[in-house]
Amino acid sequence: MGKASVSVKIYNNTYALTTSASEEQVLKIAAEVDRRMQELAESKRLLQTDKLAIWTALDLAAERLELQGKCVAMKQEMQQQSVEAEQKMQEKCAALEQELQQKCMAAEQKMQEKYIALEQEMQQKNNVLAEELQRLQARYDRLLAAVRER
């Protein structure tokens, strides 16, 4: 954006300012400076423009420093809150991870118990089938022997 000339009125004086800021922004700033100078002229009973300008500059600088301090404090607070939130998130993740691990171990334990129970059941059925096979083999052998005797 190029520089442009903006005419402003501050404390009954007109100034032509060359700036790259927008006209709207320059007019707002000038209005604030004018307002401050008018207030100081009334409260300090000053008539000299140069002294009013210095007081206004001092007031604006003090306000700016105060705001910078608040900004730094807010940034520090936000950073602290961010650190605290990160810690809480890590703690929550660790707790969830531990809970998940416990649930997995419990599920694995149940699966192991079911596997053992099924294995025992299968062994019992195999034993029953083996006994049945032995009975059938004995019967077959008797029948075969009876057939041979005839």
Side-chain angles (χ1 to χ4, degrees):
M1 177 182 236
K3 292 190 175 197
S5 181
V6 180
S7 180
V8 296
K9 189 172 184 178
I10 299 174
Y11 200 64
N12 299 322
N13 292 308
T14 302
Y15 301 92
L17 304 177
T18 301
T19 179
S20 58
S22 72
E23 183 176 353
E24 180 183 354
Q25 186 179 16
V26 172
L27 291 174
K28 282 182 182 180
I29 293 169
E32 178 63 16
V33 171
D34 182 60
R35 183 186 67 77
R36 295 279 184 109
M37 287 182 77
Q38 298 291 343
E39 286 177 1
L40 283 170
E42 287 180 29
S43 67
K44 301 222 181 272
R45 299 188 193 277
L46 294 172
L47 297 176
Q48 297 167 319
T49 304
D50 58 341
K51 286 186 179 183
L52 277 173
I54 290 171
W55 274 106
T56 301
L58 290 171
D59 279 358
L60 290 170
E63 185 178 305
R64 182 173 186 261
L65 288 174
E66 181 184 340
L67 290 173
Q68 281 178 326
K70 286 180 181 180
C71 183
V72 167
M74 288 177 76
K75 283 181 182 179
Q76 289 172 343
E77 184 180 343
M78 286 174 55
Q79 189 174 14
Q80 180 63 31
Q81 289 175 350
S82 176
V83 167
E84 290 171 3
E86 177 72 22
Q87 288 173 341
K88 285 180 182 178
M89 186 178 71
Q90 287 177 353
E91 290 170 3
K92 186 71 172 175
C93 283
L96 288 172
E97 195 172 301
Q98 186 176 9
E99 181 183 345
L100 180 61
Q101 191 174 21
Q102 289 172 348
K103 286 181 178 182
C104 285
M105 287 173 55
E108 190 175 325
Q109 175 84 23
K110 283 183 180 180
M111 286 176 48
Q112 186 69 22
E113 290 169 2
K114 285 183 179 182
Y115 175 79
I116 290 170
L118 286 172
E119 207 172 49
Q120 290 173 346
E121 183 182 340
M122 200 168 77
Q123 185 63 41
Q124 289 172 350
K125 288 182 179 181
N126 280 343
N127 289 343
V128 168
L129 288 173
E131 288 173 5
E132 183 68 24
L133 181 62
Q134 284 178 345
R135 280 195 300 275
L136 288 173
Q137 185 67 40
R139 187 173 174 198
Y140 173 76
D141 290 344
R142 283 193 306 273
L143 287 172
L144 186 60
V147 168
R148 286 188 184 154
E149 286 178 4
R150 287 192 185 164

